[in-house]
Amino acid sequence: MECSWKTVLLLVCASLGIQYTAIRSLRTTLNSPCPDMGAEAHCPQKELKDNSGVFLCEDSGNLHDTLQQQSRKHIIIFATTRSGSSFLGQLFNQHPQIFYLFEPLYHVQQAFTNSSARVKGHLDRRALLGAYRDLLHNLYDCDFNFLENYIKPVPRDHETFSFFRRGASNALCSKPVCENLPVVEEHLCAKRCRAVNLTLASKACHARRHIAIKTVRIPEINDIRTLAEDPRLNLKIIHLVRDPRGIITSRIGTFTDQFRSWKIWNTTGRKPHSVDLSHVTTTCEDLSKSAETGFNRPSWLKGKYMLVRYEDLARYPVRKAKEMYHFIGLEWESSVHRWILKNTNGSVSAGNYKFTTSRNSAETAESWRLRLCFNIVQSIQDLCNNTLVQLGYQLVDSAAELRNVSHSLVEPKTFLPFS
């Protein structure tokens, strides 16, 4: 039977119509919301947008884990030695849902220092920074077994007695890591809790909603750019800065052997030939470069960076702590408020507080002005002039001006988070 051209055309049109209807039905099915799921979930495969706007595909069984990961905050307290970072770290350590770690990069530094690079007289900066970043990434994933590569002596059965300053972390001094009741005093934690089981530490880390890590071992903000750009990490950077004159004063009083010649200089007013000023220059350059990076507001820091001056935190601890919590996206906790009130009203002269966080914070902010001789102050100002001006610290021109603590050298200055 022969078909006319009209019949053939009709059959072709009908076929195209059927295919179009089938495709529309399939697309509707794929994009229809699943029962009991949010508007962003679809069947049979789920699409989930992360914080950077990237869509992630997850099987339905893993959707809950992905949602939990996206709400998890990965906080880094970025600072330099003797800038008040231990105090700042405790503001996050007191939060019941934050797993806090005090200087875990210490183990990496020690491993590199004791390696063959020490024999050659130098450390490979690129390799060291790469190891720092690798460890941070694994710790943010709560992988504590990776840390075993650097702890000496090597842990046995994932247990170690050599976890640096474990007592500074509430999570490492309470269950399941420590079988005893939570130990509040840092010096009693290692004694009562004994070895750290790194497998249990990972379990405790996963059980808390967020993780915060303090470090003074990474020189510049740019050195953690790869972490900030990683879409799997919801990274929040708190950049703590302090007046370099206060930093050096604290180092002189804390690290006696390293700063013996500085002590002589500070006592006599005469500079010994053995005084090395290079670390002052390095400290100020690192402070300045990191702050400049933040002030330039690069896209990779958007929503991730906040600069905090130690002096502002010391004077207004509750206000500044609430500002940081708001920036990170954390609910304010009464336990944090209580800790601040308890630990910021102590006596400056009471006892040895080199490594403690309990003191009169408002008085300690500029107490260095009564302990550092004017000659040293002048030298630091000459080396760090740009950094002091950049961060809002006034210079002094005389010993009388230095000692006049009724006039603050901290200029009123607001550093808004980059969001």
Side-chain angles (χ1 to χ4, degrees), residues 5 43 45 163 278 350 380 390 404 415:
W5 66 270
C43 298
Q45 196 175 47
F163 201 108
S278 63
I380 297 173
Q390 177 191 43
N404 182 16
F415 298 94

Side-chain angles (χ1 to χ4, degrees), residues 219-220 280-291 383-384 387:
E220 299 176 31
V280 177
T281 305
T282 301
T283 296
C284 289
E285 286 179 351
D286 290 344
L287 281 171
S288 185
K289 288 178 181 177
S290 291
L383 294 169
C384 302
T387 306

